[in-house]
Amino acid sequence: MSELNLFSAEQTSELLEMQDARRNFLRFLACSPLVSNATTLGSLAVLVGAIPAAALAQSYDVLRAQTRKVGDVIESPEDALNVMDFEPAAKKALPSAHFGYLATGVDGDDTLRANHEDYSKIRIKVSRLIDARKIDTSMHLLGAQYSSPIFLSPVSSQGAFHAEAEVAVARAAGAKKQHMILSTVGNSSLEDVNKAHGSPVWLQLYPTDDWKVTQALIKRAESNGVPALVLTVDRQGGRNTETLFRLRRLDDRTCVACHAGGFANEVSRKPMFSNIDVSHVTNLYGTGMSWDFVKKLRDSTKMKIFLKGIMTGDDAAKALQVGVDGIFVSNHGGRAEESLQSTIGVLPEVVKAVGGRIPVLVDGGVRRGTDVFKALALGATGVGIGRPYCWGLAAFGEPGVAAVLNILQREFETIMRQVGATSLKQITPTSVINDIAYAKR
Ligand SMILES: Cc1cc2nc3c(=O)[nH]c(=O)nc-3n(C[C@H](O)[C@H](O)[C@H](O)COP(=O)(O)O)c2cc1C
């Protein structure tokens, strides 16, 4: 075996890319028992020195990093290689009932799985020899500019994951100028979240079955400068969260202090409802909402209105008719119904029905920067994540959320460069080959 066979061709060329690591690299080679040939070492030194600094490859950091053992579960955000690494860390940090709440889908969790698995049925077409060193990933939505198309979907009760709850999430998202939507049933107040984010976030709306409460929630949002309400329409029919029920059995803590039952005891203690009379509310989700309700809501506020939970082109067309300002393709992260329809699978038919008239957001199963790229290619304006940032929050608080956002952004930028797309506009349907059968309808 020749000395150079120590590295694959790819590794060798990658190594040569990094001027910064030159000294470490040569020291590393010199220490290798297999590299004894001074001529080989000398030639490599010349080559390494000739590489411009701009060609620095992030994969080289591995040579500079201090070696240390990382067990099966990461112990710090820096240990994570991808966002999935945060899930076991969250599991370790949380009581099993709370982890069950975060993890659960419905019935057999098959729709939850389909959301992610369907991304692997879409392939990306790369283009070579395009200078994509400078790329712009900014997303424009309702006149605002965000640094990334990746945004944070509304997740309820984040106090179950970390004491700083939505405030920690808002700090991490705000620091990176990333878009965020607060849940009606968050544990942090809208006021605190806006402050932590640095600009008004959007509010997800569960209107309840009392219109007076809906009006009070609208008023609170308006007085806090909320640009858009996101009406969630996928929780009307009830659900069977088996994974939660199973993991709840492993948790022997007394839960009634926080979960006393009934709307008044449980949901009304959430800050969004403070100083609002909820005595006539009987249900947060099963409110009998119809398209007439959406019209009524539309006529009740100047805030923009998005519908979250749309999964068909027909419903998107109806939404356009009642004058909504945006569609959010979502199945609640596979936690609403076991339809086996993934959000990325139905995205093209919704985008087709909308025809570019209003923005289309999507979430569900997004775990890689390449997933973000694929959703944008199929017509999404922005791409949301739910569980991944909550894993980061549960395991490490704000730094965990920041690390999840960093990793996804880094992966997304990498694939943009490989495709030669220097802005979101250049990510188009021709950038991908979509093999999800039902997406071709
Ligand atoms: C624990 C948990 C709580 C959620 N709470 C809400 C909520 O209050 N309102 C809402 O519209 N969606 C809620 N969602 C759905 C998310 O907004 C989002 O659609 C979903 O998490 C995206 O899928 P992903 O988790 O695979 O990224 C929740 C999701 C999770 C996991």
Side-chain angles (χ1 to χ4, degrees), residues 164 166-175 180 189-199 201 398:
E164 286 194 295
E166 293 82 3
V167 165
V169 172
R171 274 202 304 263
M180 163 176 179
S189 72
L190 178 57
E191 292 78 2
D192 288 349
V193 167
N194 273 349
K195 205 168 142 204
H197 189 271
S199 58
V201 298
E398 181 188 341

Side-chain angles (χ1 to χ4, degrees), residues 98 100-104 112 115-116 152-158 161 181-186 204-206 230-235 239 284-285 308 328-335 343 362-367 384-391:
H98 289 190
Y101 177 62
L102 180 54
T104 200
L112 162 66
N115 272 348
H116 180 59
L152 295 87
S153 287
V155 169
S156 57
S157 307
Q158 293 175 30
F161 311 138
I181 305 171
L182 176 68
S183 166
T184 310
V185 280
Q204 176 269 331
L205 183 67
Y206 285 133
V230 179
L231 179 68
T232 297
V233 296
D234 58 16
R235 286 294 319 278
R239 63 180 185 179
L284 189 62
Y285 309 111
K308 179 171 184 279
F328 195 154
V329 175
S330 179
N331 54 19
H332 224 99
R335 311 161 64 84
T343 49
V362 67
D363 73 9
V366 174
R367 303 290 180 264
I385 53 166
R387 292 179 186 83
Y389 78 81
C390 294
W391 298 332

Side-chain angles (χ1 to χ4, degrees), residues 21 30 252 258 296:
D252 52 10
C258 297
K296 192 172 168 186

